[in-house]
Amino acid sequence: MDNDQITTRSQIKNDLDPQEMLRVIFDYAAKIANERVLENVLMLMADMGREMIVSDRCTVWLLDKSKNELWSKVAHGLDEIRIPSTAGLVGYAVTHDKAVFIDDAYTNEQYKTYLLNGALRTDQQTGYRTKALMVIPFRDSQGEIMGAYQAINKLTECQQFSDKDMEYLTLASSYAGKSLESALLTNEIEATQKEIIFRMGEIGESRSKETGNHVKRVAEYSYILARGLGMSMEESELLKIASPMHDIGKVAIPDSVLNKPGKLTDEEFKLMQNHTVIGYNLLKNSNRHILKTAAVVAYEHHEKWNGRGYPRGIKGEDIHIYGRITAIADVFDALGSERVYKKAWDLDRILQLFTEERGEHFDPQVVDVFFEQLPAILHAREQYADSALEDSADVQ
Ligand code: C2E
Ligand code: SIN
Ligand code: SIN
Ligand code: SIN
Ligand code: FE
Ligand code: FE
């Protein structure tokens, strides 16, 4: 009965001949080399392993040492999966640094305890029947175990993995170690870039003595508005990363103007307006997507829908949507915060202004989304509020 279950799920297949094997390896190697998203590399790796050894399932697990967990991503659209780093046969293989090879998970005695809290328990939840199982750990360039390949159920007549399969999967594993290491590194580099960009944004703010979380809130509001307008997650994320730099040009504005307690003279305000052009010029020459986006935001966040903004006085949809979004995010936060020159406004008064300025200062459609998304926006405001504690800590 067990055998039937496996063979009816998927038809019986043959092992690859050498030519097919080469094709699979070259096809996947090319795809993997071009892929920069870690989760996608994981899934491609798993697919490659599955095709190479003609298994029904294949998963590439990565060790997350900070959490003592193994994690993987098995399909687009699904969340990552996580298990304790000692769970199941995969946990055994990575903690004992041993490749494991099992013909039938249900009769195996040697690894019974690991199977019971791993594959067999999963089977119970899913109704799947695990028979043949193979787990091969792989290492990073320092020789540290970084994860494991797991293959389940051989789709050929014999239903057993062979020594050859073990060799192939070991080969795939050594390649996985290298590729995943560089994908992890790319992730790290991107995280570092985001961090640097965020800090740059804070520099613009700290010069003007604005409280710490302003850039964080503007980033969150921008993201919420972008999503509410129907922008993709990727593009919204891009705007979220770039929007903290909207005032980076303030680094070049003299302290006497930037931190003047009272109202600016016309001349001082003219000077202040330059922060848009200065920011744009600082950022516009970069080829990096994030910095280009930031350049647009810096340039256009003080333009107004009715054409009475600055620096260029452009109007309506001539203003980039990123500028129209950050205008609302920025003013909402500026009004709700105390500045050297003004007290914080209460929420009713702020909402009143957005109603009045709908179609004047602000894009009416973005204002509508702002009101629709108000609960989420207020939630973010709460979450990133400037606490009194933080303020006093800053003073010390
Ligand atoms: P900010 O203080 O962060 O304000 C950002 C934007 O929020 C302002 O852009 C304005 O559109 C809106 N906003 C802020 N406070 C008020 C307010 O009390 N009433 C109204 N109706 N809108 C407000 P804006 O006006 O282009 O100013 C850009 C930046 O210039 C301000 O950033 C601030 O750094 C500086 N600034 C503007 N006015 C003054 C002022 O009277 N004194 C000082 N010291 N700085 C000013
Ligand atoms: C994770 O947390 O998603 C795994 C570890 C990593 O990406 O470095
Ligand atoms: C394992 O059994 O090796 C861990 C994966 C699972 O829970 O199925
Ligand atoms: C700020 O957002 O802190 C300043 C307002 C602006 O010039 O955009
Ligand atoms: Fe500004
Ligand atoms: Fe700002």
Side-chain angles (χ1 to χ4, degrees):
M1 175 213 140
D2 296 331
N3 293 1
D4 285 345
Q5 237 178 322
I6 294 168
T7 49
T8 50
R9 279 191 82 255
S10 330
Q11 73 197 73
I12 294 174
K13 295 186 176 167
N14 294 319
D15 275 319
L16 304 189
D17 64 34
Q19 207 132 32
E20 289 168 328
M21 181 65 79
L22 279 176
R23 185 190 54 74
V24 167
I25 292 173
F26 280 124
D27 279 2
Y28 278 101
K31 280 188 212 157
I32 290 165
N34 286 321
E35 181 57 66
R36 290 166 50 88
V37 178
L38 179 61
E39 282 80 3
N40 295 343
V41 174
L42 274 184
M43 288 187 279
L44 284 169
M45 286 279 163
D47 288 345
M48 178 176 78
R50 187 170 45 82
E51 287 195 35
M52 283 171 74
I53 62 172
V54 196
S55 68
D56 188 35
R57 295 184 174 182
C58 195
T59 308
V60 177
W61 296 87
L62 275 184
L63 198 55
D64 180 351
K65 287 187 183 134
S66 66
K67 293 187 179 139
N68 277 324
E69 285 176 336
L70 283 153
W71 71 279
S72 185
K73 175 115 176 170
V74 288
H76 286 284
L78 291 186
D79 286 337
E80 61 180 34
I81 43 176
R82 283 183 172 268
I83 58 174
S85 63
T86 51
L89 211 59
V90 177
Y92 173 85
V94 298
T95 37
H96 294 80
D97 186 7
K98 249 175 90 171
V100 185
F101 200 88
I102 286 175
D103 283 340
D104 188 347
Y106 284 63
T107 56
N108 182 282
E109 286 298 324
Q110 189 181 358
Y111 297 105
K112 195 166 181 169
T113 45
Y114 300 101
L115 288 163
L116 282 174
N117 70 21
L120 299 189
R121 191 161 67 186
T122 308
D123 278 10
Q124 248 181 357
Q125 290 156 2
T126 60
Y128 186 75
R129 166 61 160 102
T130 300
K131 189 173 162 74
L133 236 167
M134 189 159 61
V135 184
I136 298 179
F138 54 85
R139 307 165 174 286
D140 63 20
S141 52
Q142 312 297 314
E144 302 264 341
I145 301 264
M146 66 180 295
Y149 248 103
Q150 174 196 40
I152 302 180
N153 287 349
K154 178 89 177 174
L155 296 177
T156 58
E157 185 90 54
C158 77
Q159 299 188 359
Q160 306 300 337
F161 291 116
S162 64
D163 289 348
K164 266 247 144 352
D165 291 330
M166 176 86 107
E167 266 175 47
Y168 287 136
L169 209 59
T170 304
L171 183 76
S173 291
S174 71
Y175 181 52
K178 291 191 185 69
S179 309
L180 289 169
E181 197 172 18
S182 79
L184 280 168
L185 202 63
T186 308
N187 260 21
E188 177 68 19
I189 290 166
E190 277 175 2
T192 308
Q193 283 170 345
K194 287 178 191 173
E195 173 77 15
I196 290 169
I197 288 165
F198 187 75
R199 296 292 159 216
M200 281 167 61
E202 281 189 330
I203 293 170
E205 298 298 343
S206 63
R207 274 286 325 285
S208 62
K209 300 229 174 89
E210 277 153 22
T211 36
N213 278 335
H214 171 65
V215 294
K216 188 104 201 154
R217 290 189 298 264
V218 170
E220 296 295 325
Y221 303 154
S222 300
Y223 180 84
I224 293 166
L225 293 172
R227 290 294 287 157
L229 281 162
M231 258 181 217
S232 70
M233 209 127 91
E234 285 77 14
E235 192 175 10
S236 306
E237 184 71 26
L238 179 68
L239 185 60
K240 176 175 165 175
I241 295 164
S243 59
M245 283 194 284
H246 63 273
D247 280 334
I248 186 82
K250 282 184 177 175
V251 296
I253 306 298
D255 263 333
S256 59
V257 174
L258 201 58
N259 294 319
K260 179 176 172 176
K263 199 161 167 44
L264 300 178
T265 63
D266 287 353
E267 202 173 317
E268 286 166 336
F269 192 52
K270 272 260 159 306
L271 201 69
M272 177 60 103
Q273 291 182 356
N274 283 333
H275 79 276
T276 52
V277 180
I278 294 165
Y280 176 64
N281 287 332
L282 279 173
L283 298 163
K284 69 173 181 199
N285 291 325
S286 168
N287 279 325
R288 296 212 57 92
H289 207 35
I290 294 172
L291 296 185
K292 279 205 176 311
T293 304
V296 171
V297 169
Y299 203 23
E300 302 192 3
H301 72 280
H302 286 296
E303 297 291 357
K304 294 186 178 178
W305 183 256
N306 62 15
R308 301 213 191 107
Y310 63 89
R312 286 181 293 166
I314 54 176
K315 65 195 279 191
E317 291 185 357
D318 288 345
I319 307 162
H320 196 287
I321 187 63
Y322 299 161
R324 284 177 270 147
I325 290 173
T326 36
I328 291 190
D330 184 37
V331 173
F332 178 68
D333 202 64
L335 293 176
S337 310
E338 191 176 312
R339 293 283 196 257
V340 283
Y341 66 96
K342 61 171 268 290
K343 288 239 173 301
W345 290 19
D346 64 36
L347 184 62
D348 285 345
R349 189 167 166 211
I350 297 173
L351 298 184
Q352 177 69 29
L353 178 125
F354 277 99
T355 309
E356 285 163 12
E357 295 291 339
R358 183 183 180 280
E360 292 298 326
H361 186 161
F362 306 114
D363 178 346
Q365 203 198 339
V366 186
V367 171
D368 292 345
V369 171
F370 169 82
F371 279 105
E372 275 163 35
Q373 299 295 328
L374 197 56
I377 286 173
L378 292 177
H379 180 76
R381 181 163 94 153
E382 188 86 346
Q383 196 176 0
Y384 298 107
D386 299 305
S387 68
L389 204 70
E390 234 175 322
D391 289 348
S392 60
D394 282 347
V395 171
Q396 288 169 0

